[in-house]
């Protein structure tokens, strides 16, 4: 991390039990269990779509949790992304969409995701682009 840049620390997380499943999980301070899944994009073996959702069965999996720990949750997602790319060296792209229940939150959530995508880029040199609300991270080209 660059000097002077402060982000929340992450929650501890569980790695996938099997390589084929690619599902990480963590629990926040309120006991909400989150799932971060990496799914291969169609038949493209080097491209993944990432999904962050709640695992609690009595709540909508895409519900917005305004619990005050969004920064710690996002720091955990960044830590999981770092772990995933270190464990999956052939991964070239990762896509995600900041899902929201309404347009007002969509803009705020996109701004939050943009901040963390930029942070991820400083940590990894992965590039990013945003097209129609879809965030795409791209591994830097090696010579």
């Amino acid at each position: 991390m660059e000097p002077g840049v402060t982000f929340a620390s992450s929650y501890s997380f569980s790695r996938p039990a099997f390589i084929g499943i690619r599902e990480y999980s963590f629990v926040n301070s309120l006991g909400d269990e989150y799932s971060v899944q990496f799914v291969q994009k169609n038949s493209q073996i080097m491209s993944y779509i990432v999904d962050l959702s709640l695992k609690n069965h009595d709540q909508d999996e895409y519900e917005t949790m305004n619990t005050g720990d969004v920064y710690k949750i996002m720091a955990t997602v960044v830590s999981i992304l770092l772990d995933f790319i270190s464990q999956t060296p052939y991964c070239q792209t990762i896509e995600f969409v900041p899902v929201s229940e309404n347009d007002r939150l969509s803009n705020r959530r996109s701004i939050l995701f943009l901040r963390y995508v930029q942070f991820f880029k400083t940590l990894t040199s992965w590039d990013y682009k945003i097209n129609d609300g879809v965030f795409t991270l791209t591994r830097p080209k090696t010579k």
Side-chain angles (χ1 to χ4, degrees):
M1 188 179 312
E2 295 178 3
V5 176
T6 58
F7 279 85
S9 60
S10 65
Y11 289 110
S12 60
F13 58 87
S14 299
R15 281 182 156 166
F18 303 101
I19 292 174
I21 294 175
R22 297 182 185 97
E23 179 181 14
Y24 290 76
S25 62
F26 65 95
V27 178
N28 73 358
S29 60
L30 299 175
D32 297 314
E33 188 175 358
Y34 287 83
S35 167
V36 179
Q37 296 181 44
F38 294 87
V39 179
Q40 281 183 336
K41 186 177 175 186
N42 297 325
S43 60
Q44 301 172 19
I45 194 168
M46 297 185 288
S47 298
Y48 289 84
I49 298 170
V50 66
D51 175 62
L52 167 65
S53 59
L54 282 170
K55 288 183 78 171
N56 299 12
H57 299 291
D58 59 335
Q59 296 174 322
D60 177 0
E61 66 178 332
Y62 297 109
E63 176 183 358
T64 300
M65 300 301 292
N66 293 320
T67 58
D69 70 343
V70 67
Y71 300 113
K72 194 163 176 129
I73 289 168
M74 292 302 293
T76 306
V77 171
V78 168
S79 294
I80 289 171
L81 280 167
L82 292 171
D83 187 77
F84 178 78
I85 64 173
S86 73
Q87 299 296 316
T88 317
Y90 56 85
C91 174
Q92 296 298 310
T93 65
I94 299 172
E95 290 184 5
F96 58 93
V97 178
V99 175
S100 182
E101 297 84 18
N102 62 50
D103 292 337
R104 183 182 65 78
L105 287 177
S106 181
N107 188 39
R108 285 191 355 211
R109 190 170 294 171
S110 292
I111 291 168
L112 174 70
F113 276 56
L114 177 59
R115 181 177 175 196
Y116 278 88
V117 164
Q118 291 168 338
F119 178 60
F120 183 78
K121 179 179 177 158
T122 64
L123 293 174
T124 63
S125 297
W126 280 52
D127 206 358
Y128 68 91
K129 68 178 181 178
I130 305 165
N131 189 13
D132 291 330
V134 176
F135 287 66
T136 303
L137 303 170
T138 305
R139 184 181 294 274
K141 303 284 186 222
T142 57
K143 295 181 180 187

